[in-house]
Amino acid sequence: MEGSRAKMIDPQDDTLAFTSAVELQKLVVSGKVDVSELLDYFFQRIKATDGKYSSFLHLNTEGVEGYVESLKKNGDIHIHPLMGVPLVIPDSLHLKETPMTYGSKLLENHISKEDSAEVANLKEAGAFVLGKTNISEFSIAYETRNELIPPTRNPLNLKFSPGGPAGGSGAAVAAGLAPCALASDITGGLRLTASFCGLIGLMPTRGAIPIKYKHFLTYSDQMLFRKGIIARCVEDIALLFDFLMIHQVRDKVSSCVLNNKTMLEAIKPQERGMRIAMSEDLGYVCVDPQVRKVLREVRKKLESMGHCVEEIQTHINPDCDQHMRHMLAADRANVILRLLREVGKTPDRLGSYARSALEEGDAVTGIQYSMGTVAIEWMKKRMGEILIHYDMLLVPTAPIGPYPIANIHKAEIGITGEQVNQSSLLTAPFNMSGNPVITLPGGLSREGLPIGFQLVGRLFEESRLLNIAKAYTQTN
């Protein structure tokens, strides 16, 4: 670390809290900001404000001393290109010597023995993990609640949910408690959270961030589960994505190639004249009129940027969604039962969502499960057919706007529990197809909260998604 003497950080100043990870890294490398003071600043901010949001389950304060010492010994930007970048991870990823609960009281005393592969990559590159964010129990619900801490609240309106199951990551970034976060996406959790919190979220191509686990992976894990990034700006997503893709051992579906460019370099040219297909509802989803209105405004903006947007009939079979959910339910039940056996507990120790998931999975037949595998293959084929003719597909992120936490407040704005449960109908098809997706803020709901939209790209064309996302955000 070199440059002028670091200035003292004023803990009352919000400026650094909403500074991008790219800029924070530059401040640390130049010596304008001391890394230990920067981390202390974020920890003070979390401790002072997170009581309102419940975004964190665990803080990594014990890791600061070792991290700062390692940078003092070898603070070379070429060795640690993410030096000084603070971030958060969900409680579905491992952080060595830190509690790992999957949002469940069942595992409240479990401590991780090692880092998840993607966490290890980011730490090796010089990033620091501030802590682990709240998730719904076993990442099941579309609201971020469990029996460990109070429900996570949306920093933009505390009566509302940040979505789920990755709501803690989104709330932390939206509140200025971290510049960026990792999050998981099984049927849309990462994208719903980013959308409801007014953030940008990238779910990469299946296999772009390799699946590397020692335990048995269900078919759902292999085909639906994706890890991605939530941030306030496109550049921060590009910065982290470079290091999440790098693994010495790649899984069977990994085939990413950087072509000797960083992702930040790859998004500098602003491509024009893209052919973008558009669907307001994928042909079968009941979408709120205010969401449709926002998507039409997004279309106008993309056209003003020089792109050609054409409304199409997607001809997606709506039965695919239910087939996939049968398969997912069976696999989730299998994982929960395995964990119960490992810890010697009974199902009555589970939260309500997990108990319901266990019952749903137990009812799935072999034929229903096999239809789920067929549905995934069909969706891959259908999206491939659409994107032969178009560069991207434009769809809403959620069929409804952000919803309140309390049932009484849901009723006040006409949101039902069934609508909440169906909030992933526009996101799950792309977990099935394997395509990369970016979600961006498109407009505001009647309550003044963000409504997002998705751009779905061809396989391994994340750079084009980030390219158009950067150009879109710059025109706001």
Side-chain angles (χ1 to χ4, degrees):
M1 291 178 282
E2 57 185 27
S4 58
R5 183 180 176 81
K7 296 180 181 179
M8 296 292 289
I9 299 175
D10 180 0
Q12 304 302 317
D13 185 357
D14 279 353
T15 305
L16 281 179
F18 292 95
T19 298
S20 71
V22 170
E23 292 303 316
L24 288 176
Q25 183 234 35
K26 290 177 182 177
L27 290 171
V28 169
V29 171
S30 68
K32 293 179 180 178
V33 169
D34 180 78
V35 68
S36 59
E37 286 192 22
L38 177 66
L39 298 180
D40 184 61
Y41 168 82
F42 275 105
F43 281 125
Q44 285 189 49
R45 185 174 175 84
I46 292 166
K47 290 173 182 177
T49 64
D50 194 47
K52 296 183 291 184
Y53 314 125
S54 294
S55 61
F56 280 86
L57 275 172
H58 314 288
L59 291 180
N60 185 29
T61 51
E62 296 85 356
V64 174
E65 185 176 352
Y67 173 74
V68 173
E69 284 300 314
S70 69
L71 291 186
K72 284 180 180 178
K73 290 179 182 177
N74 199 353
D76 187 335
I77 188 62
H78 300 293
I79 297 175
H80 299 298
L82 296 182
M83 182 168 63
V85 173
L87 56 93
V88 296
I89 66 172
D91 198 35
S92 55
L93 295 177
H94 289 277
L95 180 62
K96 188 177 180 180
E97 298 177 354
T98 303
M100 173 68 172
T101 69
Y102 289 100
S104 177
K105 284 186 73 69
L106 197 69
L107 300 171
E108 60 184 337
N109 298 317
H110 178 69
I111 304 295
S112 294
K113 295 179 181 179
E114 59 184 359
D115 295 322
S116 292
E118 46 283 311
V119 175
N121 282 352
L122 294 175
K123 287 171 64 176
E124 186 178 349
F128 181 80
V129 179
L130 292 167
K132 302 185 74 178
T133 53
N134 199 22
I135 61 173
S136 63
E137 188 173 21
F138 299 121
S139 297
I140 290 170
Y142 296 113
E143 296 182 84
T144 304
R145 61 170 75 232
N146 53 50
E147 296 185 355
L148 294 170
I149 62 173
T152 302
R153 296 180 180 272
N154 193 325
L156 305 181
N157 186 324
L158 296 180
K159 287 185 178 180
F160 282 72
S161 171
S169 289
V173 175
L177 306 182
C180 46
L182 299 189
S184 300
D185 196 308
I186 302 173
T187 57
L190 180 157
R191 287 162 286 157
L192 292 172
T193 289
S195 175
F196 290 175
C197 291
L199 302 168
I200 303 169
L202 175 70
M203 180 185 75
T205 304
R206 176 166 49 235
I209 299 175
I211 302 171
K212 188 180 178 184
Y213 286 103
K214 291 184 178 179
H215 63 71
F216 169 75
L217 287 172
T218 66
Y219 189 74
S220 298
D221 289 328
Q222 295 179 57
M223 304 306 291
L224 302 177
F225 182 68
R226 236 87 64 80
K227 287 157 282 190
I229 309 160
I230 294 174
R232 293 187 295 267
C233 68
V234 175
E235 289 82 356
D236 283 359
I237 290 178
L239 180 69
L240 294 189
F241 189 48
D242 275 327
F243 298 94
L244 291 173
M245 289 197 304
I246 298 173
H247 283 253
Q248 292 182 350
V249 180
R250 293 193 178 275
D251 67 15
K252 64 182 180 181
V253 289
S254 296
S255 59
C256 261
V257 179
L258 282 175
N259 295 323
N260 297 318
K261 281 187 177 181
T262 68
M263 194 59 76
L264 274 174
E265 292 169 338
I267 65 169
K268 284 182 180 177
Q270 293 187 3
E271 189 175 350
R272 297 174 65 86
M274 291 191 196
R275 293 196 67 210
I276 302 173
M278 170 182 155
S279 176
E280 294 182 7
D281 55 15
L282 295 182
Y284 62 93
V285 181
C286 181
V287 175
D288 191 308
Q290 65 177 337
V291 174
R292 292 179 183 270
K293 180 180 178 183
V294 166
L295 197 72
R296 291 172 193 142
E297 292 301 315
V298 170
R299 174 183 184 169
K300 290 177 184 176
K301 188 170 177 179
L302 289 169
E303 289 174 336
S304 73
M305 292 164 56
H307 304 295
C308 175
V309 183
E310 180 182 338
E311 193 157 5
I312 67 163
Q313 296 297 319
T314 60
H315 300 294
I316 289 176
N317 186 339
D319 292 337
C320 284
D321 185 84
Q322 190 56 57
H323 293 322
M324 175 274 293
R325 290 178 197 275
H326 281 145
M327 180 192 71
L328 179 59
D331 283 344
R332 277 175 168 165
N334 178 40
V335 170
I336 293 170
L337 284 171
R338 178 168 53 81
L339 285 170
L340 285 169
R341 286 195 295 269
E342 286 178 5
V343 299
K345 303 294 183 183
T346 54
D348 59 286
R349 296 292 302 275
L350 297 169
S352 59
Y353 285 116
R355 287 197 304 273
S356 296
L358 205 55
E359 293 170 4
E360 290 172 15
D362 189 52
V364 174
T365 67
I367 292 175
Q368 287 175 323
Y369 190 96
S370 65
M371 287 301 295
T373 66
V374 172
I376 286 176
E377 293 304 315
W378 187 92
M379 193 66 71
K380 286 164 57 178
K381 180 175 180 290
R382 181 66 196 124
M383 281 306 301
E385 292 167 347
I386 291 172
L387 294 176
I388 285 175
H389 306 288
Y390 297 94
D391 297 298
M392 296 176 187
L393 172 65
L394 167 66
V395 293
T397 304
I400 56 176
Y403 33 81
I405 289 176
N407 288 334
I408 188 170
H409 294 138
K410 288 185 179 76
E412 287 173 2
I413 65 169
I415 295 291
T416 66
E418 184 63 21
Q419 284 176 299
V420 171
N421 292 336
Q422 294 178 350
S423 55
S424 66
L425 287 176
L426 294 169
T427 50
F430 312 116
N431 292 82
M432 298 169 71
S433 69
N435 293 81
V437 186
I438 195 162
T439 181
L440 297 156
L444 298 177
S445 69
R446 289 181 291 268
E447 295 76 32
L449 288 167
I451 290 176
F453 68 94
Q454 301 177 93
L455 287 168
V456 184
R458 295 173 184 151
L459 300 177
F460 299 107
E461 289 195 352
E462 283 84 355
S463 62
R464 296 187 85 191
L465 290 177
L466 292 169
N467 188 317
I468 193 170
K470 181 178 180 181
Y472 186 92
T473 55
Q474 287 177 339
T475 60
N476 275 342

